[in-house]
Amino acid sequence: MKKHKSILMTRAFNDEGKIVPIHEVERGRACHCTCIVCGSGLIAKKGDEKKHHFAHDVDCTCDWTGETELHLLAKEVLQNDKKVSFTHLALDGVPYKINVPFISVEQEVQLGHLKPDIMGTTADGDSILIEICVTHPCEEAKIHHYRKQGMNAIEIALPPTLLDDVQVLDLNFVRRAINAADIRCISLNPLSEFCKRIAEHNQRVISKQGDELRSIRKEIRDSQRQFNQLSRKKSELQNTVQDWEVVASDIYQRAQQYRHQLNQEIESQQHVREYRKAKKNYDQLSEQLQRDYDKEVAKANEDIEKYEENLRKKARDHILNREVTRLRNEVERLETLRKELRVDGRLLSVDEYIQKLDARYENRFTELENNWLVLERLRPELQKPDFVKPENRRLPDLPIYNKYKQVRG
């Protein structure tokens, strides 16, 4: 553990054996002080450059440390302030703060074979033993003795880390450290007045918890009563359900028996048997007729396709032959007309000839439309020629000529 020897010594024994602070003694060797730890002579250094402190007069081996200084000043603070505050965990789990004032405070009082650091006495005559823990906590044997004797005892934990970066301790510093320290109760006398206050607080807690417990018990009783009522209702409902299940099973069995008996009676009647037999024959005939019908339909469709193909072939041949014949006749007629014009030696009337051509053209166009209607019925997939339109039924008008030469040309 780190020893804080850098802490300056401010407490020593005077020539009467009492612990005195540095500011109450003479300067130098005139202080007549000795070391609290080793008993060697000390010098009171009270200069202007460094804080006042004690130093050993001669070099020696001494176990004095900063922890020793902290321990001494803590006892001095408690003796000066004559009070202590600590907390005790109440029955409700909340720390209960206890403030105890003293009318007298003594250090290092011998109690049999034990010597606590501080013993404070209250106005009620109660005593509280205070152990100051800097480096070593209170021994278990000591705590056991305090508890066995029914003494009030607490332990104030002052960690050595408080001495870090500190050169000189003063009472205010240590007082703040004690107020912020972890203080635990190591033994309590239940007959002490402050323990009675703890008991009263716990009694209030117990009373409050008792009220809550009674309320909870009442709720439990009410819930148990409701549960018992529901259990009885549940049992009654279960019995009712079982009764209904028996009734339903009986009804179902009777219904099955009645159904079986009714079926037997129905099937045993003569007209029912005849109906079953006739229905079976009818179903067989219906199936056979359906098969025959499907077969005949397939054959008829095949014959119709063959017949339509023959009709289409004949129509194509007929139309082509007739068109060839018509064109040959037209060529012969035109050739005859050409010969007649040459033989006659004169030109027929142009208007009359044009009218004849229009008439023949319109007749031929009508025949063409009729032939296309036949083809369209035989072969719907053919596309109608653009020429077969109503506006092409007549030839376009010829231009007007005013000279015979132009007409003849």
Side-chain angles (χ1 to χ4, degrees):
M1 182 178 290
K2 181 180 178 182
K3 299 293 184 179
H4 294 83
K5 291 190 176 183
S6 60
I7 301 296
L8 299 178
M9 183 188 300
T10 64
R11 299 296 185 271
F13 284 132
N14 62 9
D15 53 1
E16 296 178 358
K18 295 181 179 179
I19 298 176
V20 293
I22 185 66
H23 64 272
E24 293 183 2
V25 300
E26 297 293 332
R27 186 192 306 270
R29 292 184 180 86
C31 65
H32 303 292
C33 292
T34 57
C35 179
I36 296 174
V37 176
C38 67
S40 300
L42 299 176
I43 299 174
K45 293 186 175 183
K46 304 176 71 174
D48 297 331
E49 296 181 1
K50 204 171 184 180
K51 290 189 178 294
H52 298 180
H53 65 283
F54 290 106
H56 287 85
D57 190 8
V58 294
D59 293 337
C60 64
T61 302
C62 182
D63 293 334
W64 185 94
T65 62
E67 287 82 355
T68 305
E69 181 84 358
L70 178 60
H71 194 273
L72 289 172
L73 266 65
K75 292 192 290 184
E76 189 175 336
V77 167
L78 292 172
Q79 191 168 22
N80 293 340
D81 293 350
K82 289 184 173 57
K83 64 178 181 179
V84 68
S85 297
F86 59 95
T87 58
H88 185 268
L89 197 64
L91 292 179
D92 56 356
V94 179
Y96 178 76
K97 188 172 183 180
I98 303 170
N99 297 313
V100 183
F102 301 129
I103 59 174
S104 66
V105 176
E106 300 177 81
Q107 297 187 28
E108 307 291 340
V109 177
Q110 190 69 42
L111 298 176
H113 65 284
L114 298 178
K115 185 185 291 186
D117 293 325
I118 295 291
M119 185 179 74
T121 304
T122 67
D124 299 317
D126 298 326
S127 296
I128 296 181
L129 308 180
I130 303 175
E131 298 286 352
I132 299 173
C133 171
V134 178
T135 56
H136 302 291
C138 190
E139 298 87 353
E140 289 298 327
K142 203 175 196 180
I143 296 174
H144 178 71
H145 178 76
Y146 289 157
R147 291 177 178 174
K148 186 177 180 180
Q149 298 299 323
M151 298 178 177
N152 297 314
I154 62 174
E155 183 181 55
I156 301 175
L158 298 175
T161 53
L162 293 172
L163 304 176
D164 294 344
D165 302 324
V166 177
Q167 185 179 17
V168 176
L169 292 176
D170 58 45
L171 294 179
N172 289 330
F173 177 86
V174 177
R175 184 176 288 109
R176 290 193 297 271
I178 292 174
N179 292 333
D182 180 20
I183 304 176
R184 68 185 182 108
C185 296
I186 58 178
S187 177
L188 287 178
N189 182 359
L191 299 179
S192 302
E193 287 299 322
F194 65 89
C195 288
K196 292 179 180 179
R197 292 197 296 271
I198 298 175
E200 290 174 358
H201 175 77
N202 287 334
Q203 185 62 37
R204 290 192 294 270
V205 172
I206 292 173
S207 178
K208 181 179 179 182
Q209 292 178 346
D211 293 340
E212 294 177 353
L213 183 60
R214 284 188 290 273
S215 177
I216 293 173
R217 286 177 176 174
K218 184 178 181 300
E219 292 179 0
I220 292 175
R221 288 195 299 271
D222 294 340
S223 300
Q224 185 66 38
R225 187 164 47 254
Q226 293 177 0
F227 175 77
N228 293 335
Q229 293 176 356
L230 292 174
S231 297
R232 287 195 297 272
K233 291 182 179 180
K234 179 182 177 182
S235 178
E236 293 174 359
L237 289 174
Q238 288 177 344
N239 294 333
T240 303
V241 169
Q242 291 176 358
D243 295 340
W244 277 108
E245 287 178 351
V246 172
V247 173
S249 177
D250 181 63
I251 293 174
Y252 177 77
Q253 292 178 358
R254 290 166 56 190
Q256 290 294 104
Q257 293 175 358
Y258 177 74
R259 177 183 178 183
H260 181 69
Q261 182 180 357
L262 184 61
N263 287 335
Q264 288 181 344
E265 292 178 357
I266 292 174
E267 295 297 333
S268 64
Q269 295 181 11
Q270 181 65 27
H271 66 278
V272 173
R273 292 197 297 270
E274 293 177 355
Y275 167 75
R276 300 289 188 195
K277 184 177 180 180
K279 185 176 184 302
K280 183 177 180 181
N281 294 333
Y282 171 77
D283 292 338
Q284 293 176 352
L285 289 175
S286 296
E287 293 176 358
Q288 184 63 37
L289 287 174
Q290 184 65 37
R291 290 194 294 269
D292 295 342
Y293 171 76
D294 295 338
K295 185 177 180 181
E296 292 298 327
V297 168
K299 183 179 179 181
N301 290 333
E302 184 179 355
D303 294 341
I304 290 172
E305 289 180 359
K306 291 180 180 178
Y307 178 72
E308 288 179 349
E309 182 61 28
N310 291 331
L311 285 179
R312 286 194 290 270
K313 185 177 180 181
K314 290 179 180 180
R316 285 197 299 271
D317 296 341
H318 176 71
I319 291 172
L320 292 175
N321 292 333
R322 189 172 65 178
E323 187 65 19
V324 170
T325 303
R326 186 187 67 75
L327 291 175
R328 288 177 179 175
N329 294 334
E330 185 66 20
V331 170
E332 292 177 357
R333 187 187 64 76
L334 292 175
E335 183 64 24
T336 301
L337 181 60
R338 186 177 62 81
K339 290 179 179 181
E340 289 178 355
L341 289 175
R342 288 181 178 177
V343 172
D344 193 38
R346 63 183 180 84
L347 186 64
L348 297 175
S349 172
V350 175
D351 293 334
E352 182 180 355
Y353 187 76
I354 289 173
Q355 290 176 1
K356 291 180 179 180
L357 287 176
D358 288 340
R360 291 192 185 96
Y361 178 85
E362 189 172 355
N363 292 334
R364 297 295 184 271
F365 190 89
T366 301
E367 290 179 4
L368 182 61
E369 281 186 330
N370 294 332
N371 292 334
W372 172 252
L373 292 176
V374 174
L375 279 174
E376 192 176 38
R377 284 194 299 270
L378 295 176
R379 298 188 64 183
E381 70 277 5
L382 293 178
Q383 186 176 1
K384 187 176 182 181
D386 295 335
F387 179 75
V388 185
K389 296 179 181 180
E391 57 268 24
N392 294 330
R393 180 175 295 278
R394 293 179 57 84
L395 290 171
D397 295 333
L398 295 174
I400 299 175
Y401 301 102
N402 52 10
K403 294 183 179 180
Y404 179 77
K405 186 178 180 180
Q406 293 174 341
V407 174
R408 189 171 179 80

